[in-house]
Each structure stands twice: as structure tokens, then as C-alpha cells.
Amino acid sequence: IDMTNYSVKRSKDDTVVEVKGHSGYNNKGYDIVCAGISMATTFTANLISRLKYKYELLDLKLEEGYFRLQVKNTDRVLNEIVDNLIETLDELWYEYPGFIKRK
């Protein structure tokens, strides 16, 4: 069974959000869970890029079936953006518990 797994790791210095895999909710092109995850991660990456947070960004990878974001915990706005992504993923987990899971 396919499932998307995501993790959130916070330390005093940084926050890391990692998302892996495909949900398996439906066939490619019809999978609303994967579409929701893709929209949330792409929106977050684009917003961070648009706001030019390159100095606070430690790592950003956005690929097919994989997303990783690592940011310094030094900017309130950037941390709110990351928190928004986490809340969105948590909401998807709540709505579709068999297809996305927080580790």
C-alpha cells in the first residue's frame, strides 16, 4: 500500500519538514491527496522564494514524490510559513488518515 509520510523535526536552531512518497489514494492525475500535498509544498517553496528568504534557508528540495525544507529558527515570518505548511499537512492527515501519515 502506498502512503505519503512526512516528518517535522524542530531544534533550537532549525526546523526540518520532509515529505516522501505517493499517497495511493487514486491513480496518477486523479489523486486528490497527492495533489493537496503537492500544492501545499509547492506553494510554500514558491512563497519562500518570492520573499527572498535565501539567507534563512538551509535546504529546499522539491522533486517528484519528495520535498525537504530546512530553515533557521530566526525569523518569525518564515516560521509562520513553515507552521502553515505543517498545519496543512496535519489537516490532510486528519481527513485522509490511510494515505498520509506524520512520523
Side-chain angles (χ1 to χ4, degrees):
I1 293 176
D2 290 331
M3 181 179 289
T4 300
N5 292 291
Y6 68 102
S7 62
V8 178
K9 296 177 182 152
R10 292 184 188 264
S11 72
K12 67 178 183 74
D13 298 320
D14 65 357
T15 299
V16 178
V17 179
E18 190 170 39
V19 183
K20 296 180 190 177
H22 294 281
S23 76
Y25 181 80
N26 205 337
N27 294 327
K28 187 174 181 177
Y30 299 93
D31 191 325
I32 61 172
V33 178
C34 273
I37 294 165
S38 292
M39 281 297 300
T41 55
T42 301
F43 177 87
T44 301
N46 288 343
L47 182 58
I48 289 169
S49 177
R50 178 173 290 245
L51 295 176
K52 301 185 184 342
Y53 274 107
K54 61 185 175 186
Y55 299 110
E56 299 294 323
L57 193 64
L58 299 175
D59 186 39
L60 176 61
K61 289 186 176 82
L62 182 59
E63 303 167 357
E64 172 85 21
Y66 184 75
F67 172 84
R68 185 175 191 280
L69 173 64
Q70 181 179 11
V71 297
K72 297 177 192 174
N73 290 339
T74 55
D75 185 276
R76 187 189 65 77
V77 173
L78 184 57
N79 283 295
E80 290 293 330
I81 293 168
V82 173
D83 287 345
N84 186 70
L85 172 61
I86 294 165
E87 289 171 14
T88 301
L89 294 172
D90 285 347
E91 185 63 30
L92 285 166
W93 177 24
Y94 177 77
E95 292 293 325
Y96 301 96
F99 301 96
I100 180 172
K101 182 178 181 181
R102 186 172 181 173
K103 288 196 162 205

